[in-house]
Every structure is written in C-alpha cells, then in structure tokens.
Amino acid sequence: MNTTRIAELRSLRGWTQERLAEVSGVTVRTIQRLEAGNEVSLNTLARIAEALEVPVRELFVSVPDGDYGRSLSALDLAEVEGFSRAASVAWRRIALAVGMFTASPVPVVLLIAVADVGVIPVSVEVAVAVGVGLFLLICAGAGLCLVRASSHMSPYSAVRRHRLGADPAAVQWVEHVKNAHARQRFASISLAVSVWVLSPLPLITAALLDPTPRQPLWIAAGAGFLLVAVAAGLFAVVRTASPAYVASKVARVG
C-alpha cells in the first residue's frame, strides 16, 4: 500500500490512535501498521473508513493492481470539479488582495497632495494621519481576502500538497478546462502589459508641465493612477491563474 491519509484524517477529528482503534474495532497495533504504510485487509480498511466517515478510497493515494484488482484513485471527476470551483473562488480573492495591497498607498499620496496645495482645509499632518489610516484599512481588507481564500481551500489541503491523484477522466477534464481558459489568460496578460506600459504617461506628463501651484497635485494624481493601473493589471492576471493551478495539483494515478 502507498502512503495513507489515515493519520491526517484522524488528526482532523482530534483522535488518538487509541480512539480510532476503539471506534473502528481494530487493534492499536493495526492502526500503527496502517499509518506506517503496511498492508492490511480490505475488511480492516472498510472498518476504519466507516469510523472516519469517509469512502475507503480516501484513506490512501492508490492501491497496487495486484492487491485488490485495480488501481483506485483518490479523486474522481466530481471531487476534482469541486476543487476547481474552490480554487476559482480562492484565486479571485487572492487577485483582489494583490490589487488592494498594490493600490493601498494611493490615499496617502493623494491626501498629502490635496492638503499641501490647499484643496482641503486640513494640515498636511492630518492628511497623513487620515491617509495612513485608510492605507491600513485597505491592507486589513486585503489580508482578510487572503484568509478567506485560504479557508476556502482548506478542505483540499491534501490535493494542494500533491497527496492525491485523480482518475483519467478527471485529469482529462482538468486539461480541457485549462486549455479552454488559455486564450482568456493570454488576453488578460496582454491587456495588463499594455496598461502597465501606458500607466506612467500621466505622471510623466504632469512632471513635464510648466511649474504651477497645482503641479504637485497633478503629479500625485499621476502617481495614484500608476498604482491603480498596476493593481488592475495584477488583478486581471492573477484571477485567471486558477485553471493552470488546478492542473498543476491534480496528478494521474498509476
């Protein structure tokens, strides 16, 4: 038998080896042997799977053909589709977090500029304080997006660590989805690169204008536009990475 997931599944329930042995009706020594990768009977596997409330195939990566008649995959098509949906949601949240982190300095830059030229009746010190507060708030929101993305993917930790394989139909479906989204990903990357190349133009134009009392404001606006454009491009690129990510994590069994 190949590497089992029994220790992982047992730990998720907070069970000791003794507790699993008691619930499944096998000996502690059998649990120890199984977690070490030794062979046991299919009947014993069924009893342990029933105790853990999972299908037998989720107890291990694969079983050699000679042992039980055929290779068993740990992921079928429905499970891979579920992983793909979870990854799609998680990568959108990751993309949003990356964009928010990138654009987070914009309030600081703009508030300092508008206070400095007298557009708003507050001191630069107050503008800095408010800008930093908004900066921290945006970063906190981005961090929350990352936490939610991680929690959304937590049920699939074994897949993410390449612990589980998939049957041929599931692998074929994953490759089809990746290929179908390849054109969309190329278009997103092309658009992002175009935006990144053009994004410095407002800042350069503002810096080259004849000096006026409002020039610092236009320079700050150009810098803000640059950060927002970079953030938008990163969001567009990162959010399309999900199909390739899923394909890299799902392996064929056997």
Side-chain angles (χ1 to χ4, degrees):
M1 180 172 296
N2 294 330
T3 304
T4 68
R5 298 182 59 224
I6 293 175
E8 176 187 352
L9 295 170
R10 173 174 59 77
S11 298
L12 289 174
R13 285 178 169 266
W15 286 1
T16 62
Q17 291 180 334
E18 290 75 13
R19 175 60 176 164
L20 178 56
E22 177 185 356
V23 175
S24 62
V26 303
T27 66
V28 175
R29 177 58 182 160
T30 298
I31 300 297
Q32 293 172 342
R33 291 179 57 251
L34 188 52
E35 290 186 358
N38 295 320
E39 296 180 359
V40 297
S41 68
L42 188 57
N43 179 61
T44 299
L45 286 174
R47 294 167 69 176
I48 293 173
E50 182 179 2
L52 293 171
E53 298 181 345
V54 297
V56 172
R57 58 184 169 76
E58 289 195 20
L59 297 179
F60 42 82
V61 176
S62 65
V63 178
D65 288 342
D67 288 346
Y68 303 121
R70 66 183 182 88
S71 293
L72 299 176
S73 68
L75 288 173
D76 58 22
L77 179 57
E79 291 165 326
V80 170
E81 288 177 342
F83 174 60
S84 179
R85 287 191 295 270
S88 179
V89 173
W91 276 92
R92 282 199 298 271
R93 290 174 177 168
I94 293 171
L96 181 59
V98 170
M100 291 173 69
F101 277 128
T102 304
S104 58
V106 171
V108 181
V109 173
L110 292 181
L111 284 172
I112 291 175
V114 296
D116 186 49
V117 300
V119 174
I120 56 176
V122 298
S123 66
V124 174
E125 290 76 11
V126 173
V128 170
V130 174
V132 170
L134 292 174
F135 166 78
L136 294 175
L137 186 63
I138 294 172
C139 288
L144 180 60
C145 287
L146 292 178
V147 170
R148 294 183 65 186
S150 178
S151 64
H152 206 75
M153 293 297 292
S154 59
Y156 301 96
S157 59
V159 184
R160 293 160 61 195
R161 295 195 300 267
H162 296 275
R163 291 284 300 279
L164 300 179
D167 61 36
V171 174
Q172 184 177 12
W173 180 83
V174 168
E175 291 297 326
H176 172 74
V177 172
K178 185 182 75 170
N179 293 335
H181 284 78
R183 180 173 296 181
Q184 177 187 353
R185 180 161 174 76
F186 177 78
S188 297
I189 293 174
S190 300
L191 178 61
V193 171
S194 300
V195 170
W196 292 336
V197 170
L198 297 175
S199 60
L201 289 180
L203 178 58
I204 295 172
T205 301
L208 294 177
L209 291 175
D210 293 334
T212 66
R214 293 294 181 92
Q215 187 182 34
L217 179 59
W218 300 125
I219 291 176
F225 176 82
L226 171 64
L227 290 173
V228 171
V230 172
L234 288 172
F235 174 81
V237 171
V238 175
R239 71 185 297 269
T240 62
S242 173
Y245 169 79
V246 172
S248 71
K249 296 298 181 182
V250 175
R252 187 185 299 275
V253 171

